[in-house]
Amino acid sequence: MINDLLADIATSPWALPLLFGLVLGDAFLVVIPGETAVTAFAALSVLHGEPPLAAVVTVAAFAAFTGDAVCYFVGRTIDIDRWRWARSTRVQAARRWARRRLHRSTAAIVFTARFIPFARIVVNLTAGAERMRAPRYLALCALAAGAWALYQSFIGAAVARMLPDAPVAAVLISVGVALLFGLVLDLVLAKRVTPDPEV
């Protein structure tokens, strides 16, 4: 029954729009499971042939880029200090850190932050508020979104190829592996996305 449900989801005409919506929403709200959605759909692609894996990567990358670009333009056009959450001590410290890193090593921080939910929101909003040059910044966002989509999709596809006869297990394990890799990546990159003590 669960196998049939997964097959229905994979072959549904709403599969890719759903993926787009989840990844786009993840750019603004860290509770939305954008990463796990990409991994799960990549696994379903390998298991059922739908949606096409190339489409999963493309839609995920485009949705991630769109979300990052919207955050950038929100920061550029709206005074985010009007929001109470943006005035909290933690967010203010993160924004000061992001401001320094963006001016020091824009490409490195854009790529690093794309893989860490809270960090990418802060970096994109701060980049907009700092009036970073849109063509260069958005080009970096596009490259980072593509790398992120490939990474998430690779995990789902790899696990599904190892477990072709167990679709439910393949999807669940691929999501678990993606979450574990994400946790490890967060720990490895923690020093790059943690404000310095003096801020």
Side-chain angles (χ1 to χ4, degrees):
M1 182 175 176
I2 297 178
N3 287 348
D4 292 341
L5 177 60
L6 290 175
D8 289 343
I9 293 171
T11 58
S12 168
W14 292 101
L16 292 175
L18 174 61
L19 175 62
F20 183 90
L22 289 171
V23 174
L24 180 64
D26 184 40
F28 311 103
L29 298 171
V30 296
V31 296
I32 296 177
E35 282 90 351
T36 55
V38 178
T39 303
F41 275 103
L44 290 173
S45 175
V46 169
L47 294 166
H48 299 287
E50 292 290 338
L53 187 57
V56 171
V57 174
T58 301
V59 168
F62 183 64
F65 167 73
T66 302
D68 291 347
V70 169
C71 276
Y72 167 83
F73 283 111
V74 166
R76 192 177 178 100
T77 58
I78 297 175
D79 178 14
I80 59 177
D81 284 323
R82 69 175 61 184
W83 298 321
R84 187 169 58 183
W85 65 266
R87 297 193 301 270
S88 71
T89 303
R90 178 178 178 226
V91 173
Q92 287 291 327
R95 288 173 59 197
R96 287 193 296 271
W97 161 84
R99 187 178 304 116
R100 289 197 309 275
R101 295 298 173 92
L102 281 165
H103 288 292
R104 185 188 311 165
S105 53
T106 308
I109 200 59
V110 168
F111 271 81
T112 301
R114 169 94 287 276
F115 289 83
I116 303 176
F118 177 73
R120 68 174 168 252
I121 295 172
V122 171
V123 166
N124 289 322
L125 287 172
T126 303
E130 288 295 298
R131 304 277 176 172
M132 303 293 292
R133 289 182 58 246
R136 178 173 183 265
Y137 186 79
L138 295 179
L140 290 172
C141 285
L143 291 172
W148 174 86
L150 284 168
Y151 164 77
Q152 298 294 340
S153 298
F154 172 79
I155 295 172
V159 173
R161 289 191 191 283
M162 290 187 286
L163 299 169
D165 299 321
V168 176
V171 171
L172 293 177
I173 291 173
S174 66
V175 168
V177 169
L179 291 173
L180 179 61
F181 280 7
L183 178 61
V184 171
L185 188 62
D186 284 356
L187 293 174
V188 169
L189 299 176
K191 291 184 179 179
R192 297 186 64 91
V193 297
T194 301
D196 299 329
E198 66 269 18
V199 301

